[in-house]
Amino acid sequence: MAKPHRNMLVRKLEGFGPLPDADRDLIEEVTQETRRVPAHSDIISEGQNPENVHLILDGLACRYKLVDSGHRQILAIFLPGEFCDLYIFILKQMDHSISTLTACDVVDMPREAIFRMLERPAIARALWWATLVDEAILRERLVDIGRRPARERVAHLLCELYVRMRAVGLTEGGSFDFRLTQTDIADALGLTNVSVNKVIMELRREGIIDVANSHICVLKQDDLQAIGQFSADYLHLT
Amino acid sequence: MAKPHRNMLVRKLEGFGPLPDADRDLIEEVTQETRRVPAHSDIISEGQNPENVHLILDGLACRYKLVDSGHRQILAIFLPGEFCDLYIFILKQMDHSISTLTACDVVDMPREAIFRMLERPAIARALWWATLVDEAILRERLVDIGRRPARERVAHLLCELYVRMRAVGLTEGGSFDFRLTQTDIADALGLTNVSVNKVIMELRREGIIDVANSHICVLKQDDLQAIGQFSADYLHLT
DNA sequence: CGATAACTTGAATGCCGTCAACAGAAGTGG
DNA sequence: CCACTTCTGTTGACGGCATTCAAGTTATCG
């Protein structure tokens, strides 16, 4: 196992396969300028015209929509190394919003930088792959919300986050930094914070997970995967 | 309003903007060979290696997944003119299945044909647009299932199907061919056929829709949109 | 025209949402 | 550094929407 690259986007894209050094250099170049965004602030809002593409290098962000009742549905959770809206600039206006969940380092990338990256075949393939995986995650979430009870949903999401965090080198053993609130989880899973809390307390009592100090430790990975009917296939990690 | 083109894929792609005649000809060429697939049969199944790309020219198809409990979650409904899995061949294996809902005319398109189409800028842009719209539909469905009660979900789906059918010229006034079963709708919306039936009966009693002979007529479009909190923005029709 | 699938309806159960109250943690300002 | 506010987490009681189960009716297909 090679030492993970210091650039989170390189780490993410090398989940599909190794990149030439020149490609890594280009990625480092276009991710040079970052901006610190405080927690709970929109990076871009529904209705706006998408100009730049947004990349998260540190922290957690999400795609979401609000419904008339005032409830929020989180459509995607973005980890470090992930684009929020890679190809969205084809469309004239955003049909959803992007917001930080924690404080984030964000790159506002002009589309020219995207085109430069797409000229490199290895990067282009990796970006394509990343986009397809994003969609697969979205589909899996739909299955979760449509056809699985609360306990399974929460277990499934925890498994997914663990594997995705591990894929970019952000886990230590079975544990990783976990700054999502229970309300965030609820909004991602079509539940309420109360239901999420009851499931998490149950999983803790059963010794399957341990949560403390913005950290989660998966103690019984097999059990958690079984509860959530989780298989990592849809993440298409090679 | 120009007369709709006889080729359903041309109709679909011209939803983004007109195509040069040469592009239309190419599309007709690559959609020449169709295959008749009976209702309720998989076009490609989870776990398989995707070779061809599949295009529906007539009938209704869907993307779906099964969960351990045996329940089906429909992830997308494909209308005539729509690709089921345009870019999926990047991935090594299918993480979901594609199945017909009614008898269909299907094109099994080799990826070379896709590449030929992508060489035409206008087609490439339209395919890109169609892909982004597919994703937007998926996101909207997630909001539906995650945060809206049964009545709103059904109303929203009916509005969406109406607008999408109209976009490819398959409506007459407020009515269109409607061959989805209530179980299909339930599987698409994370409900049961019983719940769907109760909502539909209610909408019929209220004189908002009329269903008969595999046909649906939206009698009070405004009311239906209000119930489903439907706005066509996310379909990005230009 | 018989068999199968789809639709319709009612009754009972249950999962999850809503409401509410409190505890603990984190962040703010004096 | 402590008092205060605010956010997050925790728990219990209650209610409601959707599911399950079941039975019967109507379409559809071979």
Side-chain angles (χ1 to χ4, degrees):
Chain A
M1 187 77 183
K3 200 177 71 181
H5 197 273
R6 67 179 172 283
N7 184 288
M8 290 308 301
L9 179 54
V10 172
R11 284 199 206 181
K12 167 78 183 184
L13 295 186
E14 293 204 320
F16 185 60
L19 295 174
D21 286 344
D23 288 5
R24 296 180 176 192
D25 294 345
L26 173 61
I27 290 173
E28 292 210 77
E29 184 192 330
V30 297
T31 58
Q32 213 50 261
E33 268 184 53
T34 69
R35 169 169 67 101
R36 190 72 180 167
V37 181
H40 314 297
S41 31
D42 271 13
I43 294 175
I44 183 169
S45 306
E46 187 169 345
Q48 279 191 281
N49 188 316
E51 295 190 20
N52 293 319
V53 169
H54 302 96
L55 168 68
I56 307 298
L57 286 185
D58 186 60
L60 295 175
C62 73
R63 186 198 312 284
Y64 74 94
K65 267 187 167 184
L66 297 175
V67 294
D68 291 359
S69 63
H71 287 127
R72 176 177 68 160
Q73 178 62 48
I74 290 181
L75 300 160
I77 296 171
F78 301 113
L79 309 188
E82 298 188 331
F83 281 101
C84 304
D85 44 14
L86 185 52
Y87 296 118
I88 203 76
F89 54 77
I90 290 279
L91 303 179
K92 299 201 173 60
Q93 64 168 16
M94 297 290 290
D95 57 37
H96 58 263
S97 305
I98 309 284
S99 170
T100 55
L101 293 171
T102 69
C104 284
D105 290 335
V106 177
V107 179
D108 301 303
M109 202 177 286
R111 61 188 75 177
E112 290 72 32
I114 302 295
F115 293 135
R116 281 180 68 196
M117 289 199 288
L118 289 175
E119 285 168 10
R120 309 289 179 97
I123 298 182
R125 263 194 303 275
L127 287 175
W128 205 343
W129 162 77
T131 303
L132 289 171
V133 171
D134 283 351
E135 244 189 273
I137 291 172
L138 186 57
R139 287 194 294 265
E140 194 65 24
R141 190 74 62 248
L142 194 70
V143 174
D144 242 22
I145 297 183
R147 291 296 183 212
R148 290 201 254 254
R151 179 176 161 91
E152 299 180 18
R153 286 187 217 181
V154 172
H156 193 280
L157 179 63
L158 294 180
C159 288
E160 181 190 297
L161 289 174
Y162 171 70
V163 172
R164 287 171 61 195
M165 290 291 272
R166 194 181 54 188
V168 288
L170 292 178
T171 57
E172 293 171 21
S175 73
F176 59 98
D177 205 39
F178 192 75
R179 297 183 181 282
L180 291 178
T181 68
Q182 294 180 351
T183 299
D184 292 335
I185 298 172
D187 287 350
L189 296 179
L191 296 169
T192 59
N193 57 345
V194 177
S195 298
V196 170
N197 178 266
K198 281 169 184 165
V199 170
I200 287 181
M201 291 305 291
E202 197 180 39
L203 294 174
R204 287 170 63 182
R205 271 193 298 272
E206 294 167 339
I208 294 172
I209 61 171
D210 188 29
V211 187
N213 301 324
S214 307
H215 232 77
I216 185 171
C217 187
V218 181
L219 302 170
K220 298 180 184 169
Q221 177 136 3
D222 291 349
D223 289 10
L224 194 63
Q225 294 198 2
I227 293 167
Q229 297 176 30
F230 178 84
S231 152
D233 292 347
Y234 70 98
L235 296 172
H236 297 278
L237 297 163
T238 49
Chain B
M1 188 74 182
K3 199 178 70 181
H5 197 272
R6 66 177 172 283
N7 185 288
M8 291 308 301
L9 179 54
V10 172
R11 283 198 206 179
K12 168 76 183 186
L13 295 185
E14 293 206 317
F16 184 60
L19 295 174
D21 286 343
D23 288 6
R24 295 180 176 192
D25 294 344
L26 173 61
I27 290 174
E28 291 210 76
E29 183 193 329
V30 298
T31 58
Q32 212 52 259
E33 267 185 52
T34 69
R35 171 169 65 103
R36 190 70 180 171
V37 181
H40 314 298
S41 31
D42 271 15
I43 294 175
I44 184 169
S45 306
E46 186 168 346
Q48 280 191 279
N49 189 315
E51 295 191 20
N52 293 319
V53 169
H54 302 97
L55 169 68
I56 307 298
L57 286 185
D58 186 60
L60 295 176
C62 74
R63 186 197 314 282
Y64 74 95
K65 267 188 167 181
L66 297 176
V67 294
D68 291 358
S69 63
H71 286 127
R72 175 177 69 159
Q73 178 63 48
I74 290 181
L75 301 159
I77 295 172
F78 301 114
L79 309 188
E82 298 188 331
F83 282 101
C84 304
D85 43 16
L86 186 52
Y87 297 116
I88 204 77
F89 53 79
I90 291 279
L91 302 179
K92 298 199 175 60
Q93 64 168 17
M94 297 289 292
D95 57 37
H96 58 264
S97 306
I98 309 285
S99 169
T100 55
L101 293 170
T102 69
C104 285
D105 290 336
V106 177
V107 180
D108 301 302
M109 203 178 286
R111 60 187 75 175
E112 290 72 33
I114 303 294
F115 293 135
R116 281 181 67 196
M117 289 199 289
L118 289 174
E119 285 168 7
R120 309 290 179 97
I123 299 182
R125 264 195 304 275
L127 287 175
W128 204 344
W129 163 77
T131 302
L132 289 171
V133 171
D134 283 352
E135 241 188 275
I137 291 172
L138 186 57
R139 288 194 293 265
E140 193 65 25
R141 190 75 61 248
L142 194 70
V143 174
D144 241 24
I145 297 182
R147 291 297 183 212
R148 290 202 254 253
R151 180 177 161 89
E152 298 180 17
R153 286 186 216 182
V154 173
H156 193 280
L157 179 63
L158 294 180
C159 287
E160 182 190 296
L161 289 174
Y162 171 69
V163 172
R164 286 171 62 195
M165 290 291 273
R166 195 180 54 187
V168 287
L170 292 177
T171 57
E172 292 172 21
S175 73
F176 58 98
D177 205 40
F178 192 73
R179 300 183 178 282
L180 292 177
T181 68
Q182 294 181 352
T183 299
D184 292 335
I185 298 173
D187 287 350
L189 296 179
L191 296 168
T192 59
N193 57 346
V194 177
S195 298
V196 170
N197 179 266
K198 280 168 184 166
V199 171
I200 287 182
M201 291 305 291
E202 197 180 39
L203 294 174
R204 287 170 65 182
R205 273 194 296 273
E206 294 168 339
I208 293 172
I209 61 171
D210 188 28
V211 187
N213 302 321
S214 305
H215 232 77
I216 185 171
C217 187
V218 180
L219 302 169
K220 297 180 184 169
Q221 177 136 4
D222 292 349
D223 289 9
L224 194 64
Q225 294 197 2
I227 293 167
Q229 298 177 30
F230 177 85
S231 153
D233 292 348
Y234 70 98
L235 297 173
H236 298 278
L237 296 164
T238 48

